[in-house]
Amino acid sequence: MIAQRIVVSGLVLLGCCGTAAAQDSFTVVAEQVNKKMVKLFGAGGFKGLPSYGTGILVSPKGHILTVNNHILSTADLRVHLYDGRMYHNCKVLFREPELDVALVKIDADIDLLPYFDFAAEAKKGPGAAGDWVLAFSNCFQIATRDEPMSVQKGVIAALAELRGRRGVFDAPYIGESYFIDIVANNPGAAGGVITNRKGDLLGILGRELKNTLTDTWINYAVPITAKADIEREGKKVTVDMATFVKEAMEGKYREGTRPKSGDTRSGYHGIVLVHDAVKSATPAFIEEVLPDSPAAKAGLRPDDLIVYIDGELVATIKAFRDIMKQIPPGGEVRLEVQRGNRLNTIRLKLEEQPKAKTASK
């Protein structure tokens, strides 16, 4: 197969020569889909975490579906529409971590935007292995304002269970996914989409992940028909993406937690964080390092600010605890710590929990 680069109405299509389908013009479809997509700009990071991403409009009033990632953790979330309009201070309404999605609303009186009717799209049926697809996203921040999204052309290589990780985290979404034969999951692509040749919505491009079995980067999209099991008030329920979108737009969605399973034993680090009365906003400042603990041996100090753990942004104390509780005794993590005006890299190896000591988790 011979690689080719095709420019269609200012859009770059990356694909391969093959059947007659590969030679079809996607100009009209690309233009239609582009109008239903947005560029997102928010929080970035020191270690190459992008401050930009992608989303799709799911209502004429400016509701946006995107991936539940770090760029949403900002007081000034910005959105650029296809026609160049720009909006500041967009609001994150609801999140569903188990589906790895979030619903954002443009904070303005707006109407009549082109959008994907998510419920109707979900009823059209899934794609299948071998189907041609188009992947739309703002990968590498190529587009701003009225510049069109990047478009890549490829094939669904397989439908299989997603087994991926980012740093110490397993993939937030665990379930059947589309694996595609194009390098689509690039920085900024998360929250983009794959469609079929007619422009029907098939899946949401996920964030960058590595395969836990092969330690290689994977290219995938979460189907718009995806489901996840969560717990609400002690009861196990199943939620699908269409229900999340509908209830979130109505202001009725209730986020759950992942059902507990397996060994939840975590390792000991010896880090005591500052008082966290406001868990949703308090940064992970170290208040005390317990003597002879792994943290003390690693060289951590009081007043250090933990910014990243294995490349994952640690915006709050809760985020720190969510990550560290997944690390078993003997596990090692790489911390990026702000000390004064410098960012230091520190490797921390956790130990068995001591019987006579307690530590912040």
Side-chain angles (χ1 to χ4, degrees):
M1 302 181 77
I2 305 172
Q4 67 176 1
R5 174 185 170 97
I6 308 172
V7 178
V8 179
S9 295
L11 304 177
V12 178
L13 301 187
L14 303 177
C16 296
C17 296
T19 66
Q23 307 303 325
D24 290 347
S25 173
F26 298 109
T27 303
V28 175
V29 170
E31 290 176 345
Q32 291 174 344
V33 173
N34 183 70
K35 293 178 179 180
K36 302 173 185 177
M37 302 193 68
V38 302
K39 303 99 175 176
L40 295 170
F41 301 88
F46 294 99
K47 298 297 290 183
L49 289 177
S51 60
Y52 52 91
T54 312
I56 61 170
L57 289 160
V58 291
S59 87
K61 296 183 178 295
H63 289 91
I64 298 164
L65 181 69
T66 187
V67 166
N68 180 34
N69 66 7
H70 65 278
I71 71 167
L72 303 181
S73 300
T74 178
D76 183 25
L77 181 62
R78 288 155 287 145
V79 171
H80 293 188
L81 299 181
Y82 76 96
D83 57 8
R85 281 179 286 176
M86 180 176 66
Y87 295 91
H88 284 255
N89 300 319
C90 298
K91 297 180 180 179
V92 179
L93 300 183
F94 293 94
R95 306 171 189 253
E96 183 39 71
E98 298 311 308
L99 289 171
D100 201 23
V101 291
L103 191 78
V104 176
K105 176 68 168 64
I106 295 174
D107 191 15
D109 186 12
I110 194 169
D111 205 348
L112 301 178
L113 288 174
Y115 70 101
F116 284 105
D117 185 335
F118 204 88
E121 295 287 339
K123 294 177 181 178
K124 292 180 180 179
D131 286 353
W132 285 93
V133 294
L134 298 174
F136 296 81
S137 73
N138 190 22
C139 60
F140 300 115
Q141 198 180 347
I142 290 174
T144 59
R145 303 301 290 264
D146 64 348
E147 295 172 328
M149 294 287 180
S150 297
V151 187
Q152 294 172 277
K153 182 173 62 179
V155 172
I156 296 175
L159 275 76
E161 183 177 342
L162 179 63
R163 291 184 176 271
R165 63 175 173 81
R166 175 72 188 239
V168 299
F169 276 124
D170 287 335
Y173 167 73
I174 301 173
E176 189 175 71
S177 297
Y178 296 115
F179 289 86
I180 49 182
D181 71 340
I182 46 180
V183 184
N185 296 73
N186 294 301
V193 299
I194 62 170
T195 72
N196 61 19
R197 293 160 53 201
K198 297 179 181 179
D200 296 331
L201 187 60
L202 296 178
I204 307 298
L205 289 173
R207 60 180 101 187
E208 298 171 272
L209 293 177
K210 280 189 174 181
N211 189 313
T212 57
L213 303 177
T214 63
D215 201 35
T216 56
W217 295 100
I218 54 180
N219 293 282
Y220 71 99
V222 177
I224 63 171
T225 54
K227 298 179 181 180
D229 292 329
I230 62 174
E231 283 189 2
R232 286 178 180 156
E233 300 175 352
K235 296 181 180 180
K236 182 178 177 181
V237 297
T238 300
V239 61
D240 58 73
M241 205 175 292
T243 298
F244 167 76
V245 171
K246 179 179 180 295
E247 293 184 355
M249 285 196 296
E250 295 172 349
K252 300 177 181 178
Y253 190 74
R254 292 185 299 144
E255 182 181 320
T257 58
R258 177 174 294 185
K260 297 180 180 179
S261 62
D263 183 7
T264 58
R265 186 178 58 125
S266 59
Y268 166 64
H269 48 71
I271 297 172
V272 178
L273 300 178
V274 296
H275 179 63
D276 58 342
V278 186
K279 292 185 179 180
S280 63
T282 308
F285 278 102
I286 298 177
E287 181 173 278
E288 181 183 359
V289 176
L290 299 180
D292 300 320
S293 67
K297 296 172 186 176
L300 289 166
R301 304 175 187 173
D303 296 328
D304 282 348
L305 171 63
I306 300 172
V307 182
Y308 296 98
I309 300 177
D310 279 352
E312 283 294 315
L313 180 67
V314 181
T316 64
I317 287 175
K318 181 180 184 301
F320 171 84
R321 290 174 173 166
D322 287 344
I323 295 174
M324 296 305 292
K325 70 183 180 183
Q326 300 184 56
I327 314 301
E332 184 176 273
V333 293
R334 186 184 75 254
L335 306 181
E336 304 292 338
V337 175
Q338 183 177 326
R339 183 176 294 166
N341 295 323
R342 294 178 59 86
L343 196 68
N344 301 308
T345 300
I346 295 177
R347 293 194 173 276
L348 176 66
K349 186 173 183 179
L350 277 62
E351 300 175 358
E352 294 284 349
Q353 291 285 352
K355 295 180 180 180
K357 296 179 182 179
T358 60
S360 173
K361 295 183 181 177

